[in-house]
Amino acid sequence: MSLPIFLIGARGCGKTTVGEALSQALGYAFTDTDHHLQLSTQRSVTEIVETEGWEGFRARETESLKAVTAPRTVIATGGGMILAEENCRFMQEHGQVIWLSASPEVLAERLESEPEAAQRPTLTGRPIADEMSDVLRERAHLYQAAAHHQVNAMQPPQCVVEEILLSLSLARAS
Ligand SMILES: Nc1ncnc2c1ncn2[C@@H]1O[C@H](COP(=O)(O)OP(=O)(O)O)[C@@H](O)[C@H]1O
Ligand SMILES: O=C(O)C1=C[C@@H](OP(=O)(O)O)[C@@H](O)[C@H](O)C1
Ligand SMILES: [Mg+2]
């Protein structure tokens, strides 16, 4: 199988961390839509949002998704990639879509210990634990609908990788 693999899920679920490890396990390239955006614009997510608003960032995110999609590539997407129907359709049509699922409590704990403010400007203006509850309430059904497979992201990264590999090989066998 050489189709791209798209990792989706909320901020802090491990798309970037697990994506790198998964790409090594498969001998695939690794790319991250936010990193691509930062490199191509020479600006951080926070800077883009400050100058162009979330609307501007979301339009650029869609372009970034299309630009990085290639065979034998693991693609870590930004947490809001599923907000546009167009992005969901594109990922479903071009590859395998994996949702890294985690509770708001686990996500908030990870984000509090490593906020990476330049990558993650606030989405709601609320404290991080409340924000992650709000975000999951709004988006869980979108992650679910977009994904071919859901995996438990509340385990060590290498175990998440194993679970993804298992889902993909089961999908191949069926
Ligand atoms: N499976 C995991 N277990 C524990 N910590 C994790 C795990 N995955 C990611 N992290 C940590 O959570 C934070 C966010 O991870 P990251 O990969 O940037 O998530 P995302 O790209 O989904 O926002 C980082 O500090 C990372 O080290
Ligand atoms: O959830 C979101 O809307 C966002 C998540 C971020 O990516 P990560 O999920 O990699 O943190 C980044 O794309 C941007 O701050 C918006
Ligand atoms: Mg990321």
Side-chain angles (χ1 to χ4, degrees):
M1 189 186 68
S2 62
L3 291 177
I5 297 169
F6 299 97
L7 302 184
I8 64 170
R11 283 177 170 176
C13 71
K15 300 175 297 292
T16 302
T17 307
V18 168
E20 279 175 349
L22 177 65
S23 70
Q24 280 166 24
L26 287 166
Y28 278 22
F30 171 72
T31 182
D32 180 302
T33 55
D34 285 322
H35 294 171
H36 177 269
L37 202 48
Q38 283 160 34
L39 276 175
S40 61
T41 62
Q42 290 296 304
R43 287 188 287 161
S44 68
V45 175
T46 297
E47 287 167 338
I48 295 171
V49 170
E50 273 169 7
T51 53
E52 300 176 18
W54 279 109
E55 204 184 326
F57 172 80
R58 295 300 176 203
R60 288 182 178 276
E61 180 172 57
T62 296
E63 287 170 12
S64 185
L65 174 68
K66 292 177 180 165
V68 301
T69 296
R72 301 182 67 81
T73 304
V74 174
I75 299 157
T77 64
M81 190 61 82
I82 45 62
L83 292 173
E85 168 73 34
E86 176 189 355
N87 298 344
C88 296
R89 206 174 327 113
F90 180 89
M91 292 190 287
Q92 285 173 337
E93 286 175 3
H94 287 81
Q96 288 289 317
V97 187
I98 315 282
W99 175 22
L100 306 192
S101 170
S103 67
E105 293 77 17
V106 166
L107 297 171
E109 197 181 300
R110 290 181 189 170
L111 296 173
E112 270 161 1
S113 70
E114 211 161 320
E116 293 188 80
Q119 153 82 11
R120 302 190 182 102
T122 182
L123 293 164
T124 60
R126 304 232 295 148
I128 199 69
D130 298 329
E131 175 158 291
M132 294 324 293
S133 296
D134 291 349
V135 162
L136 278 186
R137 203 173 308 114
E138 275 174 23
R139 295 185 184 168
H141 69 286
L142 299 174
Y143 292 126
Q144 179 124 48
H148 294 112
H149 304 285
Q150 175 179 351
V151 301
N152 172 15
M154 295 179 288
Q155 44 183 342
Q158 208 48 49
C159 298
V160 183
V161 168
E162 294 300 329
E163 200 178 319
I164 294 172
L165 292 172
L166 190 63
S167 322
L168 292 173
S169 61
L170 288 179
R172 217 170 22 233
S174 62

